[in-house]
Amino acid sequence: MRATIASLVSNALLLIQQAAAAPTDTDTWNETTVDISGDSSADSFSVASIYDWTYRRWNGANYACKCYPGDPCWPSTLQWNLLNATVGGNLQISIPPAASCYNTFQGLLGNISTYNAAQCADVHANYASEQWQIDLPTAGLWTYFTNDTCRPTTNPTDSCTGGYFPTIYIKATTIAHIQAGILFAKNNNLRLIIRNTGHDFLGRSVGWGALVINTHSFKDISLTSSYRGACNYTGSAITVGAGVQAFEALSKLHSLNPPKIMVTGECATVGVAGGLVQGGGHGPLTNFYGFLADTALEFQVITADGVLRTANAKTNPDLFWALRGGGPSAFGVVVQATYKTFDDYSSSGTTFALGPANVNNNDTLWWDAIAKFHSYSNHFVDNGLYIYYELYPGLSFRVQPVVGVNKTAAQLEAVLQPLFNDWTAMGLTFDKTTTTYSTFYELYNALFESEVAGDSALTGGWAFSKTDVAKNNAGIIDAFKNVLNNGALLVGHMWNGGHGLPQSQWADSAINLRFRNVSDKLITILPLSGNAPLAEKEAAQRVLTDVVDGGLRAAGPNGAAYINEADPFQPNWQTAFWGTNYPKLLQLRQKWDPTGVFYSVSTPGTEKWEQIEYGTRLCKKL
């Protein structure tokens, strides 16, 4: 039998101290030396497994690592069978979505015959579908961080390996299943991933050799017209399970008479109780009600000790604060969340675009038009508008939509008219369409487009403050040019997280206070195959971090980065993501998860954690 959790923690800490004092020469510190790369130029490392840590040496440094298949500390078949019985037979081997197009899937646990013609046809037909991928147990919607080693193919004899996909998953259907998975990962020092939709740009839903707990089956929704809880709020509210997606919650609210709405992301397929709110959760209603985190009333959350806890303004208030924007997969597994809801209103939306023909293929004129558009950022958000836009190489600029909640078409166009007047004076011709809908819900469904799954890219981003736009719009546009000139794309979201939220409530959540003065939050996208050569990946990451996003940071020194849509490898990520809130978040992470059961890249307390050996093993640097 394994030791108790307390003794495991004590032993692990003791071993880390011993390892830190051990000789750093590979031959004396370790038992065996192995070259994992197959070429003589690679670093060598060795393994000495003691208790539940595996010690590695990589790039001249010593690490204590989680346990993986083949390590002496990897659980035995008996232990896995016992876990499977505990979770009702819902423990399964993780297989990449496209494995059915290959004769054999070569995973960490051995080879599996996988070819199935009908299933392969389904893969080819649906691989780009978000919901199809979401309903799979361990898929990541963007594939870069899976290593793209098993994409759809028409040649079944091709090689399909696991890449960075997880190894095993629990399709949890009860709270007890989640608790069992957390404790099993903790007791056996396994890398643990919490996955609902896989709706993530940063690879947090996948990870080499990991155990996944899938929470997507938790679909309960309940509504109340008069909330009674641990705060002064007594209005309407919605309570959702961990697996509920935005379109499901909004549909339920719309069925009421009169209809209600809630803050969600702009993408209808995102889950609303997990990573979205733990990262903050911005969307088309942020100008009015703040982030999704600002509307949270209570969470039911399982912490790293396996205990189900209530977190609200009176019970575990520090945990409640941290879960509201303090970082996804950092403090616990949210199994249920309760949010404020609001009256729905008739709303108007506008779409417009500028392409090469609109500017007679004049590059200078096109950029002047973009500069003029962006100079109105503060004006737009101060007047309650939300704007989603895309900027691509080839003089392609598209706005869909501009959202005017509780505005008529005339009121919305009145806010936009100064821009249109300036464009007309510049000699531009352009088409615009404005439509009024009876509710925001109908506008949301009509104008926000579904996103595509299966793409591979590095993602970064930065948010510009109102101060930066007012003082340095020309510099911001130069940074935009730099992004496109280096092969990346731009997606912009104009909103202000403090516009409609009383200033007295700004600090009630862990969200970076700088977002209360933002007027434009950008995502940068650098297309790159996940199975590109390592040198190419490293070069692309440097371009994204230092050049593409580096230019944006320099142009917007008063801005911030949004943890769910940014480069996790940027310098000073602690300040960029959380500003002055970071020291408190670090203390809370040490309180609620002192041994690192949960992990998500560049979240509080992960400074010493790295994925070594070419992005595989999750280890703590000694």
Side-chain angles (χ1 to χ4, degrees), residues 267-602:
C267 182
T269 57
V270 70
V272 292
L276 179 67
V277 66
Q278 291 171 47
H282 71 82
L285 299 177
T286 291
N287 265 339
F288 288 86
Y289 309 114
F291 290 78
L292 176 61
D294 292 317
T295 71
L297 297 169
E298 183 173 285
F299 298 106
Q300 296 296 313
V301 55
I302 305 173
T303 46
D305 55 5
V307 176
L308 177 66
R309 288 182 162 87
T310 297
N312 57 38
K314 293 183 179 178
T315 304
N316 299 310
D318 59 345
L319 182 59
F320 181 55
W321 180 83
L323 289 170
R324 300 169 73 187
S329 294
F331 299 96
V333 180
V334 173
V335 296
Q336 182 177 282
T338 300
Y339 301 106
K340 298 177 184 178
T341 60
F342 309 95
D343 293 336
D344 203 350
Y345 298 102
S346 174
S347 301
S348 299
T350 296
T351 64
F352 55 91
L354 286 178
N358 298 107
V359 293
N360 295 318
N361 290 298
N362 185 326
D363 183 88
T364 300
L365 180 59
W366 188 79
W367 276 113
D368 286 346
I370 303 304
K372 183 61 66 176
F373 163 78
H374 200 267
S375 72
Y376 280 101
S377 300
N378 296 345
H379 167 74
F380 293 149
V381 300
D382 286 346
N383 283 275
L385 301 190
Y386 170 93
I387 298 180
Y388 180 94
Y389 69 92
E390 299 165 342
L391 202 61
Y392 298 103
L395 308 185
S396 177
F397 172 65
R398 179 171 177 262
V399 177
Q400 182 169 338
V402 179
V403 178
V405 176
N406 199 21
K407 281 183 166 53
T408 65
Q411 290 171 327
L412 173 57
E413 291 201 351
V415 179
L416 295 170
Q417 197 59 48
L419 167 66
F420 295 150
N421 289 343
D422 287 344
W423 274 3
T424 299
M426 295 166 65
L428 297 177
T429 58
F430 53 91
D431 295 322
K432 62 179 176 64
T433 301
T434 301
T435 306
T436 299
Y437 299 85
S438 59
T439 60
F440 166 78
Y441 174 79
E442 291 167 288
L443 181 153
Y444 184 83
N445 286 332
L447 295 185
F448 285 93
E449 298 173 320
S450 298
E451 296 184 7
V452 176
D455 286 339
S456 180
L458 283 172
T459 307
W462 190 250
F464 290 109
S465 72
K466 295 173 71 175
T467 302
D468 293 326
V469 172
K471 292 184 176 181
N472 191 36
N473 192 61
I476 291 172
I477 298 305
D478 284 342
F480 283 13
K481 295 177 183 178
N482 179 61
V483 171
L484 269 61
N485 288 340
N486 281 279
L489 323 173
L490 274 174
V491 176
H493 311 72
M494 290 183 179
W495 46 255
N496 180 272
H499 176 74
L501 190 71
Q503 189 169 352
S504 61
Q505 298 178 24
W506 286 4
D508 288 351
S509 70
I511 292 168
N512 191 337
L513 288 171
R514 286 195 170 192
F515 279 113
R516 308 307 182 182
N517 190 43
V518 156
S519 63
D520 189 14
K521 190 208 75 67
L522 296 170
I523 302 174
T524 54
I525 302 168
L526 185 61
L528 181 66
S529 173
N531 58 6
L534 179 62
E536 186 177 337
K537 285 185 172 183
E538 291 175 343
Q541 184 66 59
R542 287 193 295 271
V543 168
L544 178 74
T545 300
D546 300 333
V547 181
V548 170
D549 283 3
L552 298 176
R553 293 192 298 269
N558 298 294
Y562 179 67
I563 178 60
N564 286 350
E565 297 165 337
D567 175 16
F569 306 110
Q570 65 185 286
N572 303 315
W573 55 264
Q574 298 91 335
T575 301
F577 292 142
W578 291 286
T580 56
N581 287 334
Y582 189 78
K584 181 178 177 181
L585 286 168
L586 183 60
Q587 291 178 347
L588 292 177
R589 180 62 182 271
Q590 292 166 343
K591 171 184 176 180
W592 290 105
D593 185 16
T595 60
V597 174
F598 302 116
Y599 173 80
S600 180
V601 61
S602 298

Side-chain angles (χ1 to χ4, degrees), residues 52-361:
D52 285 328
W53 289 95
T54 296
Y55 292 96
R56 316 287 282 196
R57 185 167 176 81
W58 175 253
N59 286 342
N62 297 332
Y63 294 87
C65 301
K66 298 281 188 178
C67 294
Y68 291 96
D71 293 342
C73 56
W74 182 254
S76 67
T77 300
L78 174 61
Q79 289 172 297
W80 285 112
N81 287 339
L82 290 172
L83 174 63
N84 189 35
T86 303
V87 299
N90 288 316
L91 185 69
Q92 300 288 331
I93 294 175
S94 173
I95 298 176
S100 60
C101 295
Y102 297 79
N103 289 334
T104 306
F105 165 57
Q106 300 167 304
L108 293 180
L109 300 180
N111 293 344
I112 300 174
S113 296
T114 51
Y115 184 75
N116 182 298
Q119 291 179 9
C120 181
D122 189 48
V123 168
H124 282 284
N126 294 292
Y127 199 74
S129 165
E130 274 196 314
Q131 195 59 46
W132 184 84
Q133 296 264 10
I134 284 168
D135 291 336
L136 298 174
T138 59
L141 269 62
W142 279 38
T143 63
Y144 178 82
F145 289 100
T146 71
N147 208 43
D148 272 334
T149 51
C150 190
R151 291 187 70 87
T153 183
T154 57
N155 182 5
T157 64
D158 285 346
S159 174
C160 171
T161 64
Y164 299 150
F165 274 102
T167 298
I168 300 178
Y169 69 90
I170 299 169
K171 191 170 185 178
T173 59
T174 69
I175 288 174
H177 293 170
I178 300 174
Q179 291 172 308
I182 291 173
L183 291 176
F184 190 84
K186 182 174 185 176
N187 289 354
N188 294 282
N189 200 20
L190 306 179
R191 180 171 181 183
L192 179 65
I193 291 171
I194 310 303
R195 195 265 191 193
N196 171 24
T197 65
H199 202 295
D200 177 66
F201 294 129
L202 310 183
R204 298 178 302 207
S205 296
V206 297
W208 185 83
L211 169 66
V212 168
I213 299 175
N214 183 295
T215 62
H216 193 54
S217 68
F218 289 74
K219 293 287 191 179
D220 289 344
I221 301 176
S222 63
L223 307 174
T224 180
S225 60
S226 182
Y227 177 77
R228 294 290 184 270
C231 63
N232 295 324
Y233 179 76
T234 58
S236 59
I238 184 172
T239 299
V240 296
V244 174
Q245 295 170 253
F247 72 89
E248 295 167 321
L250 291 172
S251 176
K252 188 78 170 180
L253 290 168
H254 184 67
S255 69
L256 296 173
N257 186 17
K260 296 285 186 178
I261 53 174
M262 66 177 290
V263 176
T264 67
E266 56 86 16
C267 182
T269 57
V270 70
V272 292
L276 179 67
V277 66
Q278 291 171 47
H282 71 82
L285 299 177
T286 291
N287 265 339
F288 288 86
Y289 309 114
F291 290 78
L292 176 61
D294 292 317
T295 71
L297 297 169
E298 183 173 285
F299 298 106
Q300 296 296 313
V301 55
I302 305 173
T303 46
D305 55 5
V307 176
L308 177 66
R309 288 182 162 87
T310 297
N312 57 38
K314 293 183 179 178
T315 304
N316 299 310
D318 59 345
L319 182 59
F320 181 55
W321 180 83
L323 289 170
R324 300 169 73 187
S329 294
F331 299 96
V333 180
V334 173
V335 296
Q336 182 177 282
T338 300
Y339 301 106
K340 298 177 184 178
T341 60
F342 309 95
D343 293 336
D344 203 350
Y345 298 102
S346 174
S347 301
S348 299
T350 296
T351 64
F352 55 91
L354 286 178
N358 298 107
V359 293
N360 295 318
N361 290 298

